[in-house]
Coordinates of all heavy atoms in Angstrom, one line a residue:
M107 N 2.8 25.2 38.3 CA 2.5 24.4 39.4 C 3.5 24.7 40.6 O 3.0 24.9 41.7 CB 2.6 22.9 39.0 CG 2.4 22.0 40.2 SD 0.7 21.8 40.6 CE 0.7 20.4 41.7
M108 N 4.7 24.8 40.3 CA 5.7 25.1 41.3 C 5.5 26.5 41.9 O 5.6 26.7 43.1 CB 7.1 25.0 40.8 CG 8.2 25.3 41.8 SD 8.1 24.0 43.1 CE 9.8 24.1 43.6
K109 N 5.2 27.4 41.0 CA 4.9 28.8 41.4 C 3.7 28.9 42.3 O 3.7 29.6 43.3 CB 4.7 29.7 40.2 CG 4.7 31.2 40.4 CD 4.6 31.9 39.1 CE 4.9 33.3 39.3 NZ 4.7 34.0 38.0
R110 N 2.7 28.1 42.0 CA 1.5 28.1 42.8 C 1.8 27.5 44.2 O 1.3 28.0 45.2 CB 0.4 27.2 42.2 CG -0.9 27.3 42.9 CD -2.0 26.5 42.1 NE -3.2 26.5 42.9 CZ -4.2 27.3 42.5 NH1 -4.2 28.1 41.5 NH2 -5.3 27.3 43.3
M111 N 2.7 26.5 44.3 CA 3.1 25.9 45.6 C 3.9 26.9 46.4 O 3.6 27.1 47.6 CB 3.9 24.7 45.3 CG 4.3 24.0 46.6 SD 5.4 22.6 46.5 CE 4.7 21.7 45.1
I112 N 4.7 27.7 45.7 CA 5.5 28.7 46.4 C 4.6 29.7 47.0 O 4.7 30.1 48.2 CB 6.6 29.3 45.5 CG1 7.7 28.3 45.2 CG2 7.2 30.6 46.1 CD1 8.6 28.7 44.1
V113 N 3.7 30.2 46.2 CA 2.8 31.2 46.7 C 1.9 30.7 47.9 O 1.7 31.4 48.9 CB 1.8 31.7 45.6 CG1 0.8 32.6 46.1 CG2 2.7 32.5 44.5
A114 N 1.5 29.4 47.8 CA 0.7 28.9 48.8 C 1.5 28.7 50.1 O 1.0 29.0 51.2 CB 0.2 27.5 48.4
L115 N 2.7 28.3 50.0 CA 3.6 28.2 51.2 C 3.9 29.6 51.8 O 3.9 29.7 53.0 CB 4.9 27.6 50.8 CG 4.8 26.1 50.5 CD1 6.2 25.6 50.0 CD2 4.4 25.3 51.7
V116 N 4.1 30.6 51.0 CA 4.3 31.9 51.5 C 3.1 32.5 52.2 O 3.1 33.1 53.2 CB 4.7 32.9 50.3 CG1 4.7 34.3 50.7 CG2 6.1 32.5 49.8
C117 N 1.9 32.2 51.6 CA 0.6 32.6 52.2 C 0.5 31.9 53.5 O 0.0 32.6 54.5 CB -0.5 32.3 51.3 SG -0.6 33.4 49.8
L118 N 0.8 30.7 53.6 CA 0.7 30.0 54.9 C 1.6 30.6 55.9 O 1.3 30.7 57.0 CB 1.0 28.5 54.6 CG 0.9 27.6 55.9 CD1 -0.5 27.7 56.5 CD2 1.3 26.2 55.5
A119 N 2.8 30.9 55.5 CA 3.8 31.5 56.4 C 3.3 32.8 56.9 O 3.4 33.2 58.1 CB 5.1 31.7 55.7
A120 N 2.7 33.6 56.0 CA 2.1 34.9 56.4 C 1.0 34.7 57.4 O 0.9 35.4 58.4 CB 1.6 35.7 55.1
L121 N 0.1 33.8 57.1 CA -1.0 33.6 57.9 C -0.5 33.1 59.3 O -1.0 33.5 60.3 CB -2.0 32.6 57.3 CG -3.2 32.2 58.1 CD1 -4.1 33.5 58.4 CD2 -4.0 31.2 57.4
T122 N 0.4 32.2 59.3 CA 1.0 31.7 60.6 C 1.6 32.8 61.4 O 1.4 32.9 62.6 CB 2.0 30.6 60.3 OG1 1.4 29.6 59.5 CG2 2.6 30.1 61.6
G123 N 2.3 33.7 60.7 CA 2.9 34.9 61.4 C 1.9 35.8 62.0 O 2.0 36.3 63.1
I124 N 0.8 36.1 61.2 CA -0.2 37.0 61.7 C -1.0 36.3 62.9 O -1.2 37.0 63.9 CB -1.2 37.3 60.5 CG1 -0.5 38.2 59.5 CG2 -2.4 38.0 61.0 CD1 -1.2 38.3 58.2
V125 N -1.3 35.1 62.7 CA -2.0 34.4 63.8 C -1.2 34.3 65.1 O -1.6 34.6 66.2 CB -2.5 33.0 63.4 CG1 -3.0 32.2 64.6 CG2 -3.6 33.1 62.3
A126 N 0.1 34.0 64.9 CA 1.0 34.0 66.0 C 1.1 35.3 66.7 O 1.1 35.4 67.9 CB 2.4 33.5 65.5
A127 N 1.2 36.4 65.9 CA 1.2 37.7 66.5 C 0.0 38.0 67.3 O 0.0 38.6 68.4 CB 1.5 38.8 65.4
Q128 N -1.2 37.6 66.8 CA -2.4 37.9 67.5 C -2.5 37.1 68.8 O -3.2 37.5 69.7 CB -3.6 37.6 66.5 CG -3.7 38.6 65.4 CD -4.8 38.2 64.4 OE1 -5.3 37.1 64.5 NE2 -5.2 39.1 63.6
E129 N -1.9 35.9 68.8 CA -2.0 35.1 69.9 C -0.9 35.3 70.9 O -0.8 34.6 71.9 CB -2.0 33.6 69.5 CG -3.3 33.2 68.7 CD -3.3 31.8 68.3 OE1 -2.4 31.0 68.6 OE2 -4.3 31.4 67.7
G130 N -0.1 36.3 70.7 CA 1.0 36.6 71.6 C 2.2 35.8 71.4 O 3.1 35.9 72.2
V131 N 2.3 35.0 70.4 CA 3.5 34.3 70.1 C 4.5 35.2 69.5 O 4.2 36.1 68.6 CB 3.2 33.1 69.1 CG1 4.5 32.4 68.7 CG2 2.2 32.2 69.8
N132 N 5.8 35.1 69.9 CA 6.8 36.0 69.3 C 7.1 35.7 67.9 O 7.3 34.5 67.5 CB 8.1 35.9 70.2 CG 7.9 36.5 71.5 OD1 7.1 37.4 71.7 ND2 8.6 35.9 72.5
V133 N 7.1 36.7 67.1 CA 7.5 36.6 65.7 C 8.8 37.5 65.6 O 8.8 38.6 66.1 CB 6.4 37.2 64.7 CG1 6.9 37.2 63.3 CG2 5.1 36.4 64.9
S134 N 9.8 37.0 64.9 CA 11.0 37.7 64.8 C 10.8 39.1 64.1 O 9.9 39.2 63.3 CB 12.1 36.9 64.1 OG 11.8 36.9 62.7
P135 N 11.6 40.1 64.5 CA 11.4 41.4 63.8 C 11.6 41.3 62.3 O 11.0 42.0 61.6 CB 12.6 42.2 64.4 CG 12.8 41.6 65.8 CD 12.6 40.1 65.6
E136 N 12.5 40.4 61.9 CA 12.7 40.2 60.4 C 11.5 39.7 59.8 O 11.1 40.1 58.7 CB 13.9 39.3 60.2 CG 15.2 39.8 60.6 CD 15.5 39.6 62.1 OE1 14.8 38.8 62.8 OE2 16.4 40.2 62.7
M137 N 10.9 38.7 60.4 CA 9.6 38.1 59.8 C 8.5 39.1 59.8 O 7.7 39.2 58.8 CB 9.2 36.8 60.5 CG 8.0 36.1 59.9 SD 8.2 35.8 58.2 CE 7.5 34.2 58.0
R138 N 8.4 39.8 60.9 CA 7.3 40.8 61.0 C 7.5 41.9 59.9 O 6.6 42.3 59.2 CB 7.4 41.5 62.3 CG 6.4 42.6 62.5 CD 6.3 43.1 64.0 NE 5.8 44.4 64.2 CZ 4.5 44.7 64.0 NH1 3.7 43.8 63.5 NH2 4.1 46.0 64.2
A139 N 8.8 42.3 59.6 CA 9.1 43.2 58.5 C 8.7 42.7 57.2 O 8.1 43.4 56.3 CB 10.5 43.6 58.6
R140 N 9.0 41.4 57.0 CA 8.6 40.8 55.7 C 7.1 40.7 55.5 O 6.6 40.8 54.4 CB 9.3 39.4 55.6 CG 10.8 39.5 55.4 CD 11.4 38.1 55.1 NE 12.8 38.3 54.9 CZ 13.7 37.9 55.8 NH1 13.4 37.4 56.9 NH2 15.0 38.1 55.5
I141 N 6.4 40.4 56.6 CA 4.9 40.3 56.5 C 4.4 41.6 56.1 O 3.5 41.8 55.3 CB 4.3 39.8 57.8 CG1 4.7 38.3 58.0 CG2 2.8 40.0 57.9 CD1 4.4 37.8 59.4
I142 N 4.9 42.7 56.8 CA 4.4 44.0 56.5 C 4.7 44.4 55.1 O 3.9 45.0 54.3 CB 5.0 45.0 57.5 CG1 4.4 44.8 58.9 CG2 4.8 46.5 57.1 CD1 5.1 45.5 60.0
A143 N 5.9 44.1 54.6 CA 6.4 44.4 53.2 C 5.5 43.7 52.2 O 5.1 44.3 51.2 CB 7.8 44.0 53.0
A144 N 5.1 42.4 52.5 CA 4.3 41.7 51.6 C 2.9 42.3 51.5 O 2.3 42.4 50.5 CB 4.2 40.2 52.0
G145 N 2.4 42.7 52.7 CA 1.1 43.4 52.7 C 1.0 44.7 51.9 O 0.1 44.9 51.1
K146 N 2.1 45.5 52.0 CA 2.2 46.7 51.2 C 2.4 46.4 49.7 O 1.7 47.0 48.9 CB 3.4 47.6 51.7 CG 3.1 48.2 53.1 CD 4.3 49.0 53.6 CE 4.0 49.6 54.9 NZ 5.2 50.3 55.4
A147 N 3.2 45.4 49.4 CA 3.5 45.1 48.0 C 2.3 44.5 47.3 O 2.1 44.7 46.1 CB 4.7 44.2 47.9
C148 N 1.5 43.8 48.1 CA 0.3 43.1 47.5 C -1.0 43.9 47.6 O -2.0 43.5 47.0 CB 0.1 41.8 48.2 SG 1.5 40.6 47.9
R149 N -0.9 45.1 48.2 CA -2.1 45.9 48.3 C -2.8 46.2 47.0 O -4.0 46.0 46.9 CB -1.8 47.2 49.1 CG -3.1 48.0 49.4 CD -2.8 49.1 50.4 NE -2.4 48.6 51.7 CZ -1.5 49.1 52.5 NH1 -0.8 50.1 52.1 NH2 -1.3 48.5 53.6
P150 N -2.1 46.6 46.0 CA -2.8 46.8 44.7 C -3.4 45.6 44.1 O -4.6 45.7 43.6 CB -1.6 47.3 43.7 CG -0.6 47.9 44.7 CD -0.7 47.0 45.9
D151 N -2.8 44.4 44.3 CA -3.3 43.2 43.8 C -4.6 42.8 44.6 O -5.5 42.3 44.1 CB -2.3 42.1 43.8 CG -1.2 42.3 42.7 OD1 -1.6 42.7 41.6 OD2 -0.1 42.0 43.0
I152 N -4.5 43.0 45.9 CA -5.6 42.7 46.7 C -6.8 43.6 46.3 O -8.0 43.1 46.2 CB -5.3 42.9 48.2 CG1 -4.3 41.9 48.7 CG2 -6.6 42.9 49.1 CD1 -3.7 42.1 50.0
G153 N -6.6 44.9 46.1 CA -7.6 45.7 45.6 C -8.2 45.4 44.3 O -9.4 45.5 44.0
K154 N -7.3 44.9 43.4 CA -7.7 44.5 42.0 C -8.5 43.2 42.0 O -9.5 43.1 41.3 CB -6.5 44.5 41.1 CG -6.7 44.2 39.7 CD -5.4 44.3 38.9 CE -5.7 44.1 37.4 NZ -4.4 44.2 36.7
F155 N -8.0 42.2 42.7 CA -8.5 40.9 42.5 C -9.4 40.4 43.7 O -10.2 39.5 43.5 CB -7.4 39.8 42.3 CG -6.5 40.1 41.1 CD1 -5.2 40.5 41.3 CD2 -7.0 40.0 39.9 CE1 -4.4 40.7 40.2 CE2 -6.2 40.3 38.8 CZ -4.9 40.6 38.9
C156 N -9.2 41.0 44.8 CA -9.8 40.5 46.1 C -10.7 41.5 46.8 O -11.0 41.3 48.0 CB -8.7 39.9 47.0 SG -7.5 38.8 46.2
A157 N -11.1 42.6 46.1 CA -11.8 43.6 46.8 C -13.1 43.2 47.3 O -13.6 43.7 48.4 CB -12.1 44.8 45.8
T158 N -13.8 42.2 46.7 CA -15.1 41.7 47.2 C -15.0 40.5 48.2 O -16.0 40.0 48.6 CB -16.0 41.4 46.1 OG1 -15.4 40.3 45.3 CG2 -16.2 42.6 45.1
V159 N -13.7 40.1 48.4 CA -13.5 38.9 49.3 C -13.6 39.4 50.8 O -13.0 40.4 51.1 CB -12.2 38.3 49.0 CG1 -11.9 37.1 50.0 CG2 -12.1 37.8 47.6
Q160 N -14.4 38.6 51.5 CA -14.5 38.9 53.0 C -13.2 38.6 53.6 O -12.6 37.5 53.5 CB -15.6 38.1 53.6 CG -15.9 38.4 55.0 CD -17.0 37.6 55.6 OE1 -17.5 36.7 55.0 NE2 -17.3 37.9 56.9
R161 N -12.7 39.5 54.4 CA -11.5 39.4 55.1 C -11.6 38.4 56.3 O -12.7 38.3 56.9 CB -10.9 40.7 55.6 CG -10.7 41.6 54.5 CD -10.0 42.9 55.0 NE -9.9 43.9 53.9 CZ -8.9 43.8 52.9 NH1 -8.0 42.9 53.0 NH2 -8.9 44.8 52.0
G162 N -10.5 37.7 56.6 CA -10.5 36.7 57.7 C -10.4 35.3 57.2 O -10.7 35.0 56.1
E163 N -9.8 34.5 58.1 CA -9.7 33.0 57.9 C -8.9 32.7 56.6 O -9.2 31.7 56.0 CB -11.1 32.4 57.9 CG -11.8 32.5 59.2 CD -13.2 31.9 59.2 OE1 -13.5 31.1 58.3 OE2 -13.9 32.1 60.2
G164 N -8.0 33.6 56.2 CA -7.1 33.3 55.1 C -7.7 33.5 53.7 O -7.1 33.1 52.7
R165 N -8.9 34.1 53.7 CA -9.6 34.2 52.4 C -8.9 35.2 51.4 O -8.8 34.9 50.2 CB -11.0 34.7 52.6 CG -11.9 33.6 53.2 CD -13.4 34.1 53.3 NE -13.6 35.0 54.4 CZ -14.0 34.6 55.6 NH1 -14.3 33.3 55.8 NH2 -14.2 35.4 56.6
I166 N -8.3 36.2 51.9 CA -7.5 37.1 51.0 C -6.3 36.4 50.5 O -5.9 36.5 49.3 CB -7.1 38.4 51.8 CG1 -8.3 39.2 52.2 CG2 -6.1 39.3 50.9 CD1 -9.1 39.8 51.1
L167 N -5.6 35.7 51.4 CA -4.4 34.9 50.9 C -4.8 33.9 49.8 O -4.1 33.7 48.8 CB -3.8 34.2 52.1 CG -3.2 35.1 53.2 CD1 -2.7 34.4 54.4 CD2 -2.1 36.0 52.6
Q168 N -5.9 33.2 50.1 CA -6.4 32.2 49.1 C -6.7 32.9 47.8 O -6.5 32.4 46.7 CB -7.6 31.5 49.6 CG -8.1 30.4 48.6 CD -7.0 29.4 48.3 OE1 -6.3 28.9 49.2 NE2 -6.9 29.1 47.0
C169 N -7.3 34.1 47.8 CA -7.6 34.9 46.6 C -6.3 35.2 45.9 O -6.3 35.1 44.7 CB -8.4 36.2 47.0 SG -8.7 37.3 45.6
L170 N -5.3 35.6 46.6 CA -4.0 35.9 45.9 C -3.5 34.7 45.2 O -3.0 34.7 44.1 CB -3.0 36.5 46.9 CG -3.3 37.9 47.4 CD1 -2.3 38.2 48.5 CD2 -3.3 38.9 46.3
V171 N -3.6 33.5 45.9 CA -3.1 32.3 45.3 C -3.9 32.0 44.1 O -3.3 31.6 43.0 CB -3.2 31.1 46.3 CG1 -2.9 29.8 45.7 CG2 -2.2 31.3 47.5
T172 N -5.2 32.2 44.1 CA -6.0 31.9 42.9 C -5.6 32.8 41.7 O -5.7 32.3 40.6 CB -7.5 32.2 43.3 OG1 -7.9 31.3 44.4 CG2 -8.4 32.0 42.1
H173 N -5.2 34.0 42.0 CA -4.8 34.9 41.0 C -3.3 35.1 40.8 O -2.8 36.1 40.2 CB -5.4 36.3 41.3 CG -6.9 36.3 41.2 ND1 -7.6 36.3 40.1 CD2 -7.8 36.3 42.3 CE1 -8.9 36.3 40.4 NE2 -9.1 36.3 41.7
E174 N -2.5 34.1 41.2 CA -1.1 34.2 41.2 C -0.5 34.5 39.8 O 0.5 35.3 39.7 CB -0.5 32.9 41.7 CG -0.6 31.8 40.8 CD 0.1 30.5 41.3 OE1 1.2 30.6 41.7 OE2 -0.5 29.5 41.2
K175 N -1.1 34.1 38.8 CA -0.5 34.3 37.4 C -0.7 35.8 37.0 O 0.0 36.2 36.1 CB -1.2 33.4 36.4 CG -0.8 32.0 36.6 CD -1.5 31.1 35.5 CE -1.1 29.7 35.7 NZ -1.6 28.8 34.7
N176 N -1.5 36.5 37.7 CA -1.8 37.9 37.4 C -1.2 38.9 38.4 O -1.4 40.1 38.2 CB -3.3 38.1 37.3 CG -3.9 37.2 36.2 OD1 -3.4 37.2 35.1 ND2 -5.0 36.6 36.6
L177 N -0.6 38.4 39.4 CA 0.0 39.2 40.4 C 1.2 40.0 39.9 O 1.9 39.6 39.1 CB 0.4 38.4 41.7 CG -0.7 37.7 42.4 CD1 -0.2 36.9 43.6 CD2 -1.8 38.6 42.9
E178 N 1.3 41.2 40.5 CA 2.5 42.1 40.1 C 3.8 41.4 40.7 O 3.7 40.8 41.7 CB 2.3 43.5 40.7 CG 1.1 44.2 40.1 CD 1.4 44.6 38.7 OE1 2.5 44.8 38.3 OE2 0.4 44.6 37.9
P179 N 4.9 41.6 40.0 CA 6.1 41.1 40.4 C 6.5 41.5 41.8 O 7.1 40.7 42.6 CB 7.2 41.6 39.4 CG 6.4 41.9 38.2 CD 5.0 42.3 38.7
D180 N 6.2 42.7 42.2 CA 6.5 43.1 43.6 C 5.8 42.3 44.6 O 6.4 41.9 45.7 CB 6.2 44.6 43.8 CG 7.1 45.6 43.1 OD1 8.2 45.1 42.6 OD2 6.7 46.8 43.0
C181 N 4.6 42.0 44.4 CA 3.8 41.1 45.3 C 4.4 39.7 45.4 O 4.7 39.2 46.5 CB 2.4 41.1 44.9 SG 1.3 40.1 46.0
L182 N 4.7 39.1 44.2 CA 5.3 37.8 44.2 C 6.6 37.8 44.9 O 6.9 36.8 45.7 CB 5.4 37.3 42.8 CG 4.1 36.9 42.1 CD1 4.4 36.6 40.6 CD2 3.5 35.7 42.8
N183 N 7.4 38.8 44.6 CA 8.8 38.8 45.3 C 8.7 39.0 46.8 O 9.5 38.4 47.5 CB 9.6 40.0 44.6 CG 10.0 39.7 43.2 OD1 10.1 38.5 42.8 ND2 10.2 40.7 42.4
A184 N 7.8 39.8 47.2 CA 7.6 40.0 48.7 C 7.1 38.7 49.3 O 7.6 38.3 50.4 CB 6.6 41.1 49.0
M185 N 6.3 38.0 48.7 CA 5.8 36.7 49.2 C 6.9 35.7 49.2 O 7.0 34.9 50.2 CB 4.6 36.2 48.4 CG 3.4 37.2 48.7 SD 2.0 36.9 47.6 CE 1.4 35.3 48.1
K186 N 7.7 35.6 48.2 CA 8.9 34.7 48.1 C 9.9 35.1 49.3 O 10.4 34.1 49.9 CB 9.6 34.8 46.8 CG 8.8 34.1 45.7 CD 9.6 34.3 44.3 CE 8.7 33.8 43.2 NZ 9.4 34.0 41.9
A187 N 10.1 36.3 49.5 CA 11.0 36.7 50.6 C 10.5 36.2 51.9 O 11.3 35.8 52.8 CB 11.1 38.3 50.6
M188 N 9.2 36.2 52.2 CA 8.7 35.7 53.4 C 8.9 34.2 53.5 O 9.3 33.6 54.5 CB 7.2 35.9 53.5 CG 6.8 37.3 53.9 SD 5.1 37.5 54.4 CE 4.2 36.3 53.5
R189 N 8.8 33.5 52.4 CA 9.0 32.0 52.3 C 10.4 31.7 52.6 O 10.7 30.7 53.3 CB 8.6 31.5 51.0 CG 8.8 30.0 50.9 CD 8.5 29.5 49.5 NE 8.9 28.1 49.3 CZ 10.1 27.8 48.8 NH1 11.0 28.7 48.5 NH2 10.4 26.5 48.8
N190 N 11.3 32.5 52.2 CA 12.8 32.2 52.3 C 13.3 32.6 53.7 O 14.5 32.5 53.9 CB 13.5 32.9 51.2 CG 13.2 32.3 49.8 OD1 12.9 31.1 49.8 ND2 13.3 33.1 48.8
S191 N 12.5 33.1 54.5 CA 13.0 33.6 55.9 C 13.0 32.5 56.9 O 12.4 31.5 56.7 CB 12.2 34.8 56.4 OG 10.8 34.4 56.5

């Protein structure tokens, strides 16, 4: 349960950062780097679990949360790093 909450919070942070960047809101270079790192670290899991999920509106992030128990450690760690920033 706690792990699921952490992943959800991290996903929310990622989504907030991406939306903020698209809307011209400044995102710190550190946060931007963490968002990019999480995207790279989670790419295999996205391909494995979320390949058929339509992108946009947080659907990929929700898919990752749904499959959190099966995510690779690199993906989980990258998402935790975003949460802790």
Side-chain angles (χ1 to χ4, degrees):
M107 175 79 169
M108 181 64 155
K109 193 175 190 181
R110 185 177 181 103
M111 184 185 314
I112 290 171
V113 172
L115 289 172
V116 169
C117 290
L118 179 60
L121 180 60
T122 302
I124 292 167
V125 170
Q128 290 175 347
E129 293 180 359
V131 176
N132 290 329
V133 176
S134 72
E136 294 84 12
M137 182 55 138
R138 178 170 161 65
R140 286 185 180 108
I141 292 169
I142 292 169
K146 288 179 182 177
C148 294
R149 187 170 291 141
D151 290 322
I152 292 169
K154 184 175 182 179
F155 302 113
C156 310
T158 61
V159 175
Q160 182 180 8
R161 298 186 186 279
E163 298 180 13
R165 288 184 283 264
I166 297 295
L167 297 174
Q168 183 58 46
C169 176
L170 290 174
V171 170
T172 300
H173 295 282
E174 69 176 314
K175 291 183 180 182
N176 301 312
L177 297 179
E178 295 293 326
D180 288 346
C181 180
L182 286 173
N183 290 334
M185 293 170 65
K186 286 179 188 176
M188 282 192 330
R189 179 183 170 268
N190 295 329
S191 60

